[in-house]
Amino acid sequence: MSTTAPVVVHPDGELLARATAARFLLALVDAQSVATPVHVALTGGSILVDTLRAVAADPLRDAVDWTAVHVWWGDERFVPAGHADRNDREAVEALLGDLPLRPEHVHAVPGPDAVADVDAAARAYTEELARHAAPGEAVPELAVVLLGMGPDGHVASLFPGRPSLGDQSLGALAEHDSPKPPPERISLTLPTLCTAHQVWLVVSGEGKAPAVAAALEGTSLPEAVGGTGDGESVPAGRVQARGRTLWLVDLAATSALP
Ligand code: 6PG
């Protein structure tokens, strides 16, 4: 099934990052005018780090009450706190370290320095999400989730053909054998991503163009490029936010669209 999600195209990656940063800041201001606190989720990836740097440089950042923002991770690599491979370390360096966030509102996924294994990390993160959920809910309402996408169409740490893609629970799951290193990761489940008010897929570069086309068409990629070749949608094409799903891309990422 193809998607009807809007696709906003920017000329290049730099403008994509700057425009996404401005959009993100305004979305936070809007969300804060309705309810507080506001929860957001970030993931890793090059364009998202560029976007976080652009948020740091944007004067609009002062319009957000950062003391009432909770930050979660859509996925994290299971390596110790402070490790160069961690998504949260990149985010702290690019932006979070610069903001007046409350430390207890920055929800890092525990690493091997804190818990026994990747399953324990996923369980702990699921419990942490539940602690911040509204009564009767399993996870907090995420106002905006920022997702990068891999060339195989993966989002967060939900990879094509992996059992994790079918996990119907709400919370976090453990991935033991990710095709993208490192193999052990923690990811929000697909249903959790889909409870978000808005999910934005932020994608840059020609290398991602076949996956953008497959996701928008709701189909698979060939096995040779990390897909399943079975006609079932790549993970990115399965994300449907409760409110709005938005593709924010640069021109190069659209080069395989009809
Ligand atoms: C990770 C990410 C992953 C990432 C995409 C895009 O931990 O690896 O969260 O889902 O967002 O792989 O990454 P690039 O933009 O670097 O290709």
Side-chain angles (χ1 to χ4, degrees), residues 43-47 75 77 87 148-150 154-156 180 185 208:
T43 52
S46 40
I47 188 66
D75 77 329
R77 293 102 180 257
N87 288 336
M149 182 189 71
H154 80 259
V155 287
K180 178 179 179 180
R185 291 156 168 263
K208 308 276 175 81

Side-chain angles (χ1 to χ4, degrees), residues 57-255:
D58 193 320
L60 263 182
R61 63 183 251 185
D62 296 336
V64 175
D65 175 6
W66 293 103
T67 65
V69 175
H70 285 251
V71 181
W72 300 87
W73 271 268
D75 77 329
E76 185 56 276
R77 293 102 180 257
F78 189 60
V79 290
H83 191 288
D85 279 352
R86 280 192 62 109
N87 288 336
D88 61 3
R89 175 172 161 176
E90 284 192 313
V92 167
E93 284 174 1
L95 171 69
L96 305 181
D98 240 20
L99 298 175
L101 291 161
R102 298 221 159 111
E104 68 274 21
H105 291 179
V106 180
H107 303 280
V109 180
D113 50 318
V115 290
D117 55 32
V118 65
D119 295 299
R123 276 197 305 275
Y125 212 54
T126 300
E127 286 162 14
E128 174 91 348
L129 285 157
R131 270 196 293 280
H132 290 84
E137 302 290 337
V139 295
E141 178 167 321
L142 298 166
V144 185
V145 176
L146 293 180
L147 292 178
M149 182 189 71
D152 58 357
H154 80 259
V155 287
S157 286
L158 303 173
F159 292 87
R162 298 287 306 149
S164 55
L165 200 50
D167 188 324
Q168 291 304 306
S169 66
L170 286 173
L173 59 79
E175 170 58 67
H176 295 260
D177 193 17
S178 155
K180 178 179 179 180
E184 292 192 312
R185 291 156 168 263
I186 296 88
S187 180
L188 297 186
T189 63
L190 182 61
T192 306
L193 296 175
C194 295
T195 62
H197 183 57
Q198 298 200 58
V199 177
W200 301 348
L201 295 118
V202 188
V203 187
S204 166
E206 201 173 352
K208 308 276 175 81
V212 169
L216 293 172
E217 274 293 300
T219 192
S220 58
L221 284 167
E223 287 181 56
V225 294
T228 54
D230 60 3
E232 297 292 324
S233 177
V234 293
R238 302 182 192 215
V239 182
Q240 283 258 305
R242 200 182 331 221
R244 188 156 78 139
T245 312
L246 202 54
W247 284 79
L248 304 172
V249 304
D250 65 7
L251 198 54
T254 65
S255 58

